[in-house]
Amino acid sequence: MDTSSTAPTDTPAMATSDTSATKTPPPAIICIGMAGSGKTTFMQRLNAHLHAQKTPPYIVNLDPAVKNVPFERNIDIRDSVNYKEVMKQYNLGPNGGIMTCLNLFATKVDQVIGILEKRKDAGSIDCVLVDTPGQIECFVWSASGAIITDALASAFPTVIAYIIDTPRTTSPATFMSNMLYACSILYKTKLPMILVFNKTDAQDAAFAKEWMTDFEAFQRALRESEEGNDEGVGGSGYMASLLNSMSLMLDEFYKHLDLVAVSAMTGAGIEDFMVAVKGKCEEYERDYRPEMEKARKKRDEQRIKEKEKELDRLMKDMDVDGGVSSKSGRKKSMPKEEEEQDLLSDMESSDEEAGQGMQERDEDEGAMDEDEEGLQARYERELREKGGTDAGVLQDASLRRYLGANQM
């Protein structure tokens, strides 16, 4: 079964609120979260909220292993790549199969961006939602994930929504682990990020806001956990010292993040999330886009410099081989255009001498035949003058040697 020949299909959006082109480009929201953080449920709730606002999103599913998706998708990786078939053909496990599917799909990312840009130009989309695999490392730390993220960020104001399981982060150790992972994703993608504390219907996220804004509050929680009242640290002095140091380091990191508490089950906080997305889009246009364009310009300049170095190296090699032109006798310091013309004439003359000119090959062959006939007549005359009239004397070997000696 061909696992990569099918192009991404574009399913028409369920409804469009306006066919005119929007003044500002629609935001692209990439939802990333640990397995079990409620990412798919959050996507479903966000999709329902946007439909209720008469601004249906354009949804792209990048999870090839999911069986059932509780919302409509416009572009689905499962339409292009068969996850089970990839595992079978390449003898891979679950994570390897997901990464291979993403690699195959990344080869068609230009088609995906083309579809999205057509929709954007037509003004038929107000928001792009991208659902990623639950195995977060398969997308964040893979080359295909970087390719897809960079391609999307080059066309749309892109925001990373990092979904966090709030009930599982009440421990200082687990909270700090999530913050470190969020920090690594932020600096890996170099895109604006929103921390989405999900499942607030089961656990209020006020503690997380307090820990991120008040260093002393986190220190108190850390001291309580040292007493063995919390499952994350259990009184380990080394762990407490490590968390203390990391909290000091991440204090500056928190200033670049927006924290939103939501409940994918009840829908609470979804509007706050959209407000945060709008703010991050402005931050993207103000801070991130200039940096991306600067980095792209730097890469282009570096590529041009490398090409110039290769050209200079080639010209030096040609100067070493040719030296001063044998035809014109000009020096190496002649103008570049004259050097190119002289080099071209030398190449043409050498081709003609070697019998490689396509247009003049027949004439050269005729001239060579005439020269050979004249040499043969002179050879026979000299033999007759010396008394060697026997025809058997004209052997091929001696004739070839004579011809060769006269051609030197």
Side-chain angles (χ1 to χ4, degrees):
M1 178 178 180
D2 187 6
T3 59
S4 60
S5 60
T6 307
T9 57
D10 177 22
T11 305
M14 296 177 61
T16 56
S17 58
D18 187 12
T19 57
S20 61
T22 58
K23 295 181 180 180
T24 58
I29 304 172
I30 302 178
C31 294
I32 298 175
M34 298 287 187
S37 62
K39 180 170 55 64
T40 302
T41 309
F42 172 76
M43 285 278 297
Q44 181 184 14
R45 177 61 65 179
L46 185 58
N47 179 45
H49 174 79
L50 293 175
H51 274 86
Q53 298 295 323
K54 305 299 181 182
T55 56
Y58 197 92
I59 300 179
V60 180
N61 175 44
L62 296 181
D63 190 352
V66 65
K67 291 185 178 180
N68 299 315
V69 181
F71 46 81
E72 294 292 332
R73 289 85 56 207
N74 299 96
I75 296 178
D76 198 329
I77 188 175
R78 297 177 299 172
D79 296 335
S80 302
V81 187
N82 190 318
Y83 170 66
K84 292 184 177 180
E85 193 66 24
V86 167
M87 291 178 59
K88 180 179 178 182
Q89 289 188 9
Y90 296 98
N91 193 24
L92 299 171
N95 290 343
I98 292 175
M99 292 187 65
T100 304
C101 290
L102 287 172
N103 292 339
L104 294 172
F105 188 79
T107 61
K108 305 179 183 299
V109 68
D110 56 333
Q111 301 179 28
V112 176
I113 300 301
I115 293 172
L116 294 175
E117 287 182 338
K118 288 181 180 179
R119 292 282 184 173
K120 179 183 68 174
D121 296 339
S124 59
I125 57 175
D126 299 289
C127 180
V128 178
L129 297 181
V130 181
D131 191 15
T132 60
Q135 288 78 357
I136 188 171
E137 66 280 357
C138 294
F139 179 80
V140 174
W141 302 111
S142 64
S144 56
I147 292 172
I148 295 171
T149 302
D150 293 343
L152 192 63
S154 65
F156 298 90
T158 306
V159 179
I160 302 294
Y162 182 59
I163 316 300
I164 300 174
D165 188 350
T166 306
R168 296 297 303 168
T169 56
T170 55
S171 164
T174 310
F175 174 82
M176 190 57 61
S177 298
N178 269 288
M179 294 302 102
L180 285 175
Y181 214 110
C183 179
S184 65
I185 294 174
L186 176 66
Y187 289 105
K188 177 69 168 60
T189 60
K190 297 181 176 62
L191 292 172
M193 175 180 287
I194 301 174
L195 297 181
V196 182
F197 281 83
N198 195 16
K199 304 181 183 180
T200 55
D201 56 306
Q203 174 66 51
D204 191 5
F207 73 93
K209 295 180 180 179
E210 185 180 14
W211 288 353
M212 291 180 63
T213 56
D214 188 355
F215 175 76
E216 295 296 333
F218 183 78
Q219 293 297 313
R220 288 193 300 268
L222 189 58
R223 285 193 296 269
E224 292 177 359
S225 65
E226 289 178 357
E227 298 174 359
N229 297 328
D230 201 357
E231 62 177 351
V233 178
S236 173
Y238 171 76
M239 181 62 72
S241 177
L242 178 62
L243 293 177
N244 187 19
S245 301
M246 289 190 297
S247 63
L248 288 172
M249 182 270 295
L250 292 177
D251 187 57
E252 182 67 23
F253 164 70
Y254 295 148
K255 298 178 181 179
H256 300 281
L257 300 177
D258 285 355
L259 186 149
V260 179
V262 303
S263 173
M265 185 64 65
T266 63
I270 297 296
E271 187 61 36
D272 296 337
F273 173 77
M274 294 307 301
V275 173
V277 168
K278 184 178 180 180
K280 286 299 180 181
C281 289
E282 296 175 357
E283 180 182 342
Y284 170 88
E285 296 291 343
R286 182 181 66 252
D287 300 330
Y288 287 83
R289 183 181 289 277
E291 291 296 328
M292 291 180 59
E293 293 177 354
K294 183 179 179 180
R296 187 181 298 110
K297 183 179 179 181
K298 186 176 180 180
R299 289 195 300 268
D300 294 340
E301 291 177 353
Q302 184 67 25
R303 193 178 298 109
I304 292 174
K305 289 181 180 179
E306 291 177 357
K307 289 183 179 180
E308 290 178 352
K309 288 182 180 179
E310 293 178 359
L311 181 60
D312 291 341
R313 190 182 303 111
L314 176 62
M315 296 303 295
K316 289 180 180 178
D317 293 341
M318 296 177 69
D319 288 340
V320 170
D321 294 339
V324 180
S325 174
S326 60
K327 289 287 183 182
S328 61
R330 299 174 187 172
K331 297 181 180 180
K332 298 179 182 179
S333 59
M334 66 179 66
K336 185 175 180 180
E337 294 181 357
E338 295 183 5
E339 286 184 0
E340 293 178 352
Q341 293 177 0
D342 186 66
L343 180 62
L344 181 60
S345 63
D346 290 344
M347 292 174 64
E348 290 177 349
S349 61
S350 63
D351 288 343
E352 293 173 3
E353 293 173 359
Q356 295 178 358
M358 294 182 63
Q359 296 180 353
E360 300 180 356
R361 180 176 297 176
D362 295 337
E363 296 179 2
D364 290 343
E365 289 177 355
M368 291 175 64
D369 293 341
E370 293 176 359
D371 292 341
E372 289 182 1
E373 292 177 358
L375 289 172
Q376 183 174 358
R378 292 197 299 272
Y379 180 69
E380 293 177 353
R381 185 173 60 256
E382 290 184 11
L383 286 177
R384 284 194 298 271
E385 291 176 355
K386 293 179 180 180
T389 58
D390 189 1
V393 178
L394 300 176
Q395 297 179 357
D396 292 339
S398 60
L399 177 59
R400 290 182 182 279
R401 286 195 298 272
Y402 181 78
L403 291 176
N406 280 273
Q407 288 179 350
M408 291 296 291

